[in-house]
Amino acid sequence: MNIRGVILLTFHNNIHGDLKSLLDFALELARTAENRILPRYQGCDVMIKPDGSEVTVADREAETAMRDLICQRYPSHKILGEEYGSSSSEEADFLWVLDPIDGTASFTLGVPLFGTLVALLRRGNPVLGVIHMPVLRETTYAATGLGCWFRTADFEPVRLRVVKKETLGEAVVSAGGIHASDLQPETDRPRYRLSTYIQTARKFRFIADCAQHALVCRGRLQAALDPVMYPWDNAAIVPCIREAGGKATTVNGDEDNVVFGGSLLISCGEPLHTELVQVLQPRI
């Protein structure tokens, strides 16, 4: 190997080594959040935020614990979280994006399909993500170039790959709800054609929050839809589905700005993804 090849290999190994350390830290953050969340599961008072969404002490305590750990370990890194906002912008060199409880409505009902989402953006690009389900004791996680993995408390990690289907008529798909769709029109949002998505698919299920996206990474579903999303909802999912061999865009098909694009559509890849984007667009 010539000197240029040695330099490139060393650079490649250094990048992956750094990402592996950061991914291990992200998994530690998820465990830290779990330690604040589980003691309050099925026994937490609910408060309503100004935007009408639910929040609990568990949400806030878990995010605070994660923020404190980031500040201790990586003081130069910035943070964006659902409960306490941003310490910078998406243009920061390193930006941690946190959702302590993705699915607070499920959490407050005692339904175990909520998760903790941890992501890291490097200069605006999502490079690692963790989807951790505390009650189920399941974790889907990935970093760029390192693959997407699934582990439980009782088994060793296994590498994940999506299961390919060519058309919506062959696919098993899901959505997180009917908001921003033709089934529940809202004056200030697009009316995505959820009815067509449901009727055309081989099989459809409503599945809450991050759970549906983890199932696409695991090959159980071929697509998952959330018409209204925020960066803390999206950021961890994007590296996971991409490293599993799938695709993530906004519902309009924007791949480059998916984290901050306001919606999320993930799938097992092309040509299915193009069909999904076309099927879901509102009729003019």
Side-chain angles (χ1 to χ4, degrees):
M1 183 182 295
N2 60 29
I3 186 65
R4 183 174 181 272
V6 171
I7 291 171
L8 287 174
L9 180 61
T10 302
F11 178 69
H12 181 270
N13 289 340
N14 285 343
I15 288 176
H16 281 189
D18 290 345
L19 271 181
K20 178 63 169 61
S21 296
L22 289 163
L23 181 57
D24 288 343
F25 177 66
L27 291 165
E28 183 182 347
L29 288 174
R31 291 191 297 271
T32 297
E34 176 184 304
N35 291 336
R36 302 304 193 280
I37 293 166
L38 287 186
R40 297 185 179 276
Y41 180 52
Q42 295 185 323
C44 206
D45 292 335
V46 181
M47 296 162 280
I48 305 299
K49 293 191 283 190
D51 65 0
S53 61
E54 296 177 326
V55 66
T56 70
V57 172
D59 293 84
R60 291 172 174 166
E61 287 185 348
E63 184 171 320
T64 296
M66 288 191 287
R67 284 175 174 268
D68 288 347
L69 195 54
I70 293 168
C71 291
Q72 292 168 19
R73 199 78 56 86
Y74 296 103
S76 65
H77 290 193
K78 306 304 180 183
I79 304 168
L80 170 63
E82 178 176 11
E83 304 308 330
Y84 293 108
S86 177
S87 60
S88 186
S89 71
E90 68 261 35
E91 300 304 321
D93 279 350
F94 290 98
L95 178 67
W96 291 95
V97 185
L98 311 173
D99 190 348
I101 301 179
D102 182 62
T104 300
S106 293
F107 174 78
T108 60
L109 291 171
V111 176
L113 296 180
F114 63 89
T116 295
L117 301 178
V118 180
L120 180 65
L121 273 57
R122 187 173 189 180
R123 300 187 186 97
N125 297 311
V127 296
L128 67 80
V130 173
I131 307 168
H132 178 58
M133 315 294 285
V135 179
L136 300 180
R137 304 169 76 196
E138 297 178 351
T139 311
T140 302
Y141 58 99
T144 302
L146 299 179
C148 181
W149 299 82
F150 174 75
R151 74 181 187 191
T152 68
D154 301 319
F155 296 97
E156 291 297 311
V158 295
R159 189 159 187 174
L160 298 179
R161 298 294 296 179
V162 296
V163 171
K164 295 281 189 178
K165 297 294 181 182
E166 298 291 307
T167 68
L168 182 53
E170 301 172 280
V172 182
V173 305
S174 66
I178 62 173
H179 48 289
S181 78
D182 55 348
L183 300 181
Q184 183 177 293
E186 301 173 35
T187 57
D188 57 342
R189 297 187 187 278
R191 298 180 181 184
Y192 296 114
R193 288 191 290 159
L194 181 59
S195 59
T196 306
Y197 176 75
I198 292 171
Q199 292 163 5
T200 308
R202 182 174 77 82
K203 183 187 291 185
F204 172 86
R205 290 291 183 271
F206 284 111
I207 302 175
D209 306 304
C210 59
Q212 63 170 336
H213 300 288
L215 289 170
V216 180
C217 296
R218 293 171 58 189
R220 304 295 182 87
L221 300 173
Q222 278 72 60
L225 166 69
D226 264 308
V228 180
M229 294 281 268
Y230 297 94
W232 43 84
D233 301 314
N234 282 346
I237 293 163
V238 174
C240 291
I241 187 61
R242 288 176 176 171
E243 286 297 307
K247 188 167 183 175
T249 70
T250 66
V251 183
N252 294 327
D254 184 355
E255 192 167 8
D256 295 331
N257 191 41
V258 61
V259 172
F260 293 88
S263 63
L264 184 63
L265 174 66
I266 74 167
S267 77
C268 59
E270 297 295 354
L272 175 62
H273 201 91
T274 294
E275 181 185 357
L276 294 171
V277 171
Q278 293 171 347
V279 163
L280 286 164
Q281 294 316 297
R283 287 191 175 90
I284 298 174

